[in-house]
């Protein structure tokens, strides 16, 4: 009877072992992956949905100005001297408005940003501080006209002198609040006929940095007020309910599936990556070499490159960083050739220098972006300045730390600098200035996951740790049960795994056939 029971136990434990191995190798990971997907997908039922729709904490939006300290010397042809003033810190709130759900598992939404000055974080600086900077809109207008019809410059400049009251050179002294958000007043009432042409063109184009004055007699120019007033989009994003590896991928912007600013080239026009707020989980066996984010303000996707696996906030993380290839010249990265539209300087043929992107095709203005202080850009750009430009990786790089299980950004910093060419022209304001790329300001957009969300993630990691214990604990118990039952089966002889000795005497000692004995005497 004991042998019969031991055989049953052995079979049951063997089956339990097979089942536990299947669960450990396939079942538990599948269940865990499904639960993670359920929690992070863009769906009303997920834990992440409301955090994605309304960002639970503000980002930090920092602006650092390049104050020009030797205007008179520059007007005589000497190299610029700059001094950083900043950062001026703003709280950036983000909220998405869902417009609907589309085919291919997508959600359509608008993104609204709101910027509020953070006096405490900016102190002792205030928005009423005064800086002397390059007159960005004036230079942009002159360069645009110069590229189309240089002979018009002297005539139109008379109108610009009335548009920008008191215009004596390519620089302006202004309150920070006016330059950034409130607006610098541009006067459209004057005696020059060219002023009417300029104002009519502004009204026809109405670039985002301009807004009509209340009295209708002018405009206000500011760098970022449009971000505070106009939602961007609509975006079409993959929700991740069908394929979690596609979570957050932007597949449409303003109802287009590619960016047309760069012509028909499939590389530069491709909508690729997320909006920077959400990424899919990272498979530790297949870590992507690059992660892409779509940046509508520059009409392209930017990639960051994998650097290392590390830890932050007592959690494992993957560290990605913007590399020099992203804004590389076409000689260093041939794929970037389609971002090249026009030289910023007659000294160079082909594309822009290393580390620059011309926004003319995107924003219809000759603005050029780079990393702050021309970090990762050509050293030729640095030679233009006497002082004030000092690229530093710690201060000027762009990077993120991503938690691999959920794809949550634990910490991220994105930095960008806005520049315009200061070009020598045959007008009083520019007849002696040295030609070169001149920075106006640089921005830093950063986020750190708040402590209560860190705690939630760590709690989730603990639960996953318990699941792992149970997962392999079941296998261990099954192995132990199989070992015990195998021992019992062997001991009772229920299975002929190790035959007992009562029938194993050598044939030499067995009775011979017909009763004949052998090997006796």
């Amino acid at each position: 009877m004991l042998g019969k029971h031991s055989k049953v136990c052995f079979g049951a434990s063997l089956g339990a072992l097979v089942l536990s191995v299947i669960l450990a190798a396939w079942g538990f990971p599948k269940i865990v992956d499904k639960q993670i997907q359920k929690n992070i997908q863009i769906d009303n039922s997920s834990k992440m949905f409301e955090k994605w729709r309304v960002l639970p904490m503000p980002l930090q939006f920092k602006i650092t100005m390049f104050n020009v300290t030797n205007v008179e010397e520059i007007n005589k042809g000497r190299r610029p001297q700059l001094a950083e003033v900043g950062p001026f810190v703003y709280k950036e709130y983000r909220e998405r408005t869902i417009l609907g759900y589309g085919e291919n598992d997508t959600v359509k939404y608008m993104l609204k940003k709101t910027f509020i000055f953070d006096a405490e974080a900016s102190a002792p600086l205030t928005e009423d501080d005064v800086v002397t900077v390059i007159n960005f809109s004036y230079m942009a207008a002159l360069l645009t006209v110069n590229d189309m019809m240089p002979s018009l410059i002297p005539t139109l400049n008379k109108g610009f002198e009335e548009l920008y009251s008191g215009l004596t050179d390519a620089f302006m002294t202004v309150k920070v609040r006016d330059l950034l958000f409130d607006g610098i007043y541009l006067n459209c009432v004057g005696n020059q006929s060219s002023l009417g042409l300029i104002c009519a063109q502004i009204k026809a184009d109405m670039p985002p940095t301009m807004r009509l004055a209340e009295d209708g007699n002018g405009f206000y120019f500011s760098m970022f007020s449009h971000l505070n007033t106009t939602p961007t989009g609509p975006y079409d994003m993959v929700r991740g309910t069908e394929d979690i590896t596609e979570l957050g991928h932007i597949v449409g912007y303003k109802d287009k599936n590619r960016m047309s600013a760069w012509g028909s080239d499939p590389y530069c026009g491709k909508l690729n990556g997320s909006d920077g707020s959400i990424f899919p989980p990272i498979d530790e066996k297949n870590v992507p070499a690059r992660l892409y984010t779509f940046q509508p303000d520059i009409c392209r996707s930017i990639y960051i490159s994998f650097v290392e696996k590390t830890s932050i906030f007592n959690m494992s993380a993957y560290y990605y960083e913007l590399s020099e290839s992203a804004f590389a010249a076409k000689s260093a990265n041939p794929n970037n050739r389609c971002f090249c539209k026009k030289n910023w300087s007659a000294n160079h043929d082909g594309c822009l220098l290393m580390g620059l992107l011309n926004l003319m095709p995107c924003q219809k203005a000759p603005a050029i972006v780079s990393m702050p202080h021309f970090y990762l850009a050509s050293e030729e750009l640095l030679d233009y300045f006497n002082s004030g430009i000092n690229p530093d990786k710690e201060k000027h790089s762009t990077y993120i730390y991503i938690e691999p299980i959920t794809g949550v950004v634990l910490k991220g910093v994105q930095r960008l600098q806005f520049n315009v060419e200061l070009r020598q022209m045959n007008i009083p304001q520019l007849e002696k200035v040295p030609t070169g790329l001149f920075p106006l300001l640089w921005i830093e957009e950063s986020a750190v996951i708040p402590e209560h969300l860190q705690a939630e993630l760590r709690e989730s990691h603990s639960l996953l740790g318990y699941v792992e214990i149970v997962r392999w604990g079941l296998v261990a118990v099954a192995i132990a049960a199989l070992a015990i039952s195998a021992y019992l089966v062997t001991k009772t002889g229920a299975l002929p795994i190790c035959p007992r000795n009562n029938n194993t005497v050598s044939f030499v000692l067995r009775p011979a056939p017909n009763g004949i004995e052998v090997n006796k005497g």
Side-chain angles (χ1 to χ4, degrees):
M1 183 63 71
L2 181 59
K4 183 178 179 180
H5 287 314
S6 62
K7 288 172 66 176
V8 172
C9 290
F10 178 80
S13 59
L14 182 60
L17 178 60
V18 173
L19 180 61
S20 65
V21 170
I22 293 173
L23 285 173
W26 182 83
F28 273 91
K30 196 74 173 178
I31 293 170
V32 169
D33 289 345
K34 278 293 183 183
Q35 189 61 39
I36 291 173
Q37 178 174 355
K38 183 179 178 181
N39 286 336
I40 66 174
Q41 66 191 10
I42 305 302
D43 185 82
N44 289 335
S45 62
S46 76
K47 291 184 177 180
M48 285 292 292
F49 179 76
E50 196 58 27
K51 295 182 179 69
W52 169 81
R53 194 186 69 80
V54 180
L55 201 66
M57 74 293 183
L59 304 181
Q60 266 201 333
F61 188 75
K62 298 179 180 179
I63 304 172
T64 301
M65 316 294 300
F66 285 102
N67 189 55
V68 186
T69 61
N70 66 332
V71 170
E72 292 185 6
E73 286 80 4
I74 296 172
N75 289 333
K76 295 176 182 178
R78 297 177 185 171
R79 292 192 299 165
Q81 293 180 186
L82 307 177
E84 277 193 345
V85 178
F88 298 89
V89 184
Y90 294 79
K91 293 180 180 179
E92 178 187 339
Y93 296 89
R94 291 188 175 191
E95 181 175 351
R96 293 172 175 84
T97 301
I98 307 298
L99 302 180
Y101 299 92
E103 298 178 352
N104 302 317
D105 191 31
T106 58
V107 57
K108 184 184 290 289
Y109 65 90
M110 298 292 292
L111 176 61
K112 177 70 170 67
K113 298 179 181 180
T114 303
F115 298 85
I116 298 175
F117 184 66
D118 189 337
E120 182 178 352
S122 302
L125 300 173
T126 73
E127 286 187 295
D128 290 319
D129 287 349
V130 174
V131 292
T132 299
V133 294
I134 185 81
N135 193 329
F136 193 87
S137 60
Y138 172 58
M139 284 308 310
L142 284 178
L143 292 169
T144 302
V145 174
N146 188 70
D147 289 343
M148 294 188 298
M149 195 173 295
S151 60
L152 283 179
I153 289 292
T155 301
L156 289 178
N157 193 56
K158 295 295 183 180
F160 284 126
E161 288 175 349
E162 290 190 332
L163 183 71
Y164 300 93
S165 302
L167 181 70
T168 58
D169 53 41
F171 303 94
M172 61 180 175
T173 299
V174 63
K175 285 185 179 181
V176 169
R177 68 164 65 249
D178 293 337
L179 176 61
L180 299 183
F181 286 97
D182 287 1
I184 300 165
Y185 184 71
L186 306 182
N187 171 53
C188 285
V189 177
N191 299 319
Q192 296 292 328
S193 59
S194 58
L195 176 63
L197 294 175
I198 293 170
C199 290
Q201 190 62 47
I202 293 175
K203 190 172 184 179
D205 294 341
M206 197 53 73
T209 53
M210 294 283 188
R211 73 177 189 273
L212 190 64
E214 294 79 2
D215 58 9
N217 293 325
F219 300 91
Y220 283 98
F221 167 81
S222 62
M223 289 296 294
F224 303 116
S225 64
H226 62 286
L227 299 180
N228 241 351
T229 57
T230 307
T232 57
Y235 298 80
D236 290 289
M237 174 187 281
V238 179
R239 300 166 61 206
T241 62
E242 297 177 3
D243 183 358
I244 196 62
T245 63
E246 290 294 311
L247 173 67
H249 190 87
I250 302 294
V251 295
Y253 180 68
K254 293 186 175 180
D255 298 319
K256 296 180 180 179
N257 59 11
R258 64 180 309 277
M259 298 300 293
S260 59
W262 312 105
S264 59
D265 190 278
Y267 176 82
C268 290
K270 186 176 182 180
L271 287 178
N272 199 7
S274 79
D275 65 358
S277 65
I278 188 169
F279 292 90
I282 294 176
D283 182 357
E284 299 199 20
K285 298 178 182 177
N286 187 26
V287 178
R290 292 175 177 176
L291 293 177
Y292 289 81
T293 60
F294 172 60
Q295 307 286 342
D297 291 336
I298 61 175
C299 300
R300 65 166 289 188
S301 294
I302 294 289
Y303 60 82
I304 47 178
S305 302
F306 174 70
V307 177
E308 63 179 349
K309 183 178 181 181
T310 182
S311 64
I312 186 173
F313 309 135
N314 296 318
M315 287 180 279
S316 293
Y318 286 90
Y319 176 69
Y320 284 80
E321 190 175 86
L322 188 76
S323 66
E324 63 180 7
S325 63
F327 286 148
K330 69 176 182 180
S331 56
N333 183 357
N335 287 328
N336 283 349
R337 66 188 182 279
C338 45
F339 290 123
C340 308
K341 290 296 180 181
K342 187 169 290 188
N343 307 334
W344 67 267
S345 170
N347 296 329
H348 303 282
D349 55 0
C351 293
L352 297 180
L353 291 176
M354 191 80 171
L356 305 177
L357 176 67
N358 190 346
L359 292 188
M360 186 66 182
C362 173
Q363 298 290 356
K364 307 305 179 187
I368 294 175
V369 296
S370 67
M371 300 290 281
H373 287 249
F374 301 113
Y375 171 65
L376 298 181
S378 171
E379 291 188 2
E380 183 177 333
L381 295 163
L382 309 183
D383 295 337
Y384 179 67
F385 302 94
N386 190 38
S387 63
I389 298 296
N390 304 292
D392 184 321
K393 178 179 179 178
E394 293 299 318
K395 297 178 181 177
H396 305 137
S397 63
T398 290
Y399 62 85
I400 60 172
Y401 290 86
I402 292 185
E403 194 281 314
I405 297 174
T406 60
V408 168
V409 177
L410 300 175
K411 182 180 180 181
V413 176
Q414 177 176 285
R415 297 171 171 131
L416 207 61
Q417 179 172 297
F418 292 89
N419 314 277
V420 68
E421 183 187 357
L422 177 64
R423 185 185 297 181
Q424 191 175 105
M425 297 183 188
N426 190 27
I427 53 177
Q429 292 83 359
L430 300 173
E431 60 185 354
K432 293 182 180 180
V433 300
T435 295
L437 194 60
F438 213 104
L440 170 65
L441 56 83
W442 62 273
I443 62 173
E444 175 183 303
E445 203 171 35
S446 63
V448 177
I449 187 171
E451 291 186 4
H452 72 277
L453 292 181
Q454 292 178 32
E456 282 187 25
L457 275 177
R458 281 193 288 267
E459 183 179 346
S460 299
H461 289 179
S462 297
L463 289 174
L464 289 176
Y466 297 146
V467 170
E468 285 294 292
I469 293 172
V470 172
R471 173 187 177 189
W472 296 112
L474 288 176
V475 175
V477 170
I479 291 173
L482 182 65
I484 293 170
S485 61
Y487 172 76
L488 293 175
V489 167
T490 302
K491 187 173 182 180
T492 60
L495 288 178
I497 297 174
C498 296
R500 297 177 65 84
N501 290 332
N502 57 334
N503 291 319
T504 60
V505 180
S506 173
F507 76 93
V508 178
L509 299 180
R510 291 175 185 170
N514 300 320
I516 301 173
E517 293 184 359
V518 295
N519 289 346
K520 279 191 177 183

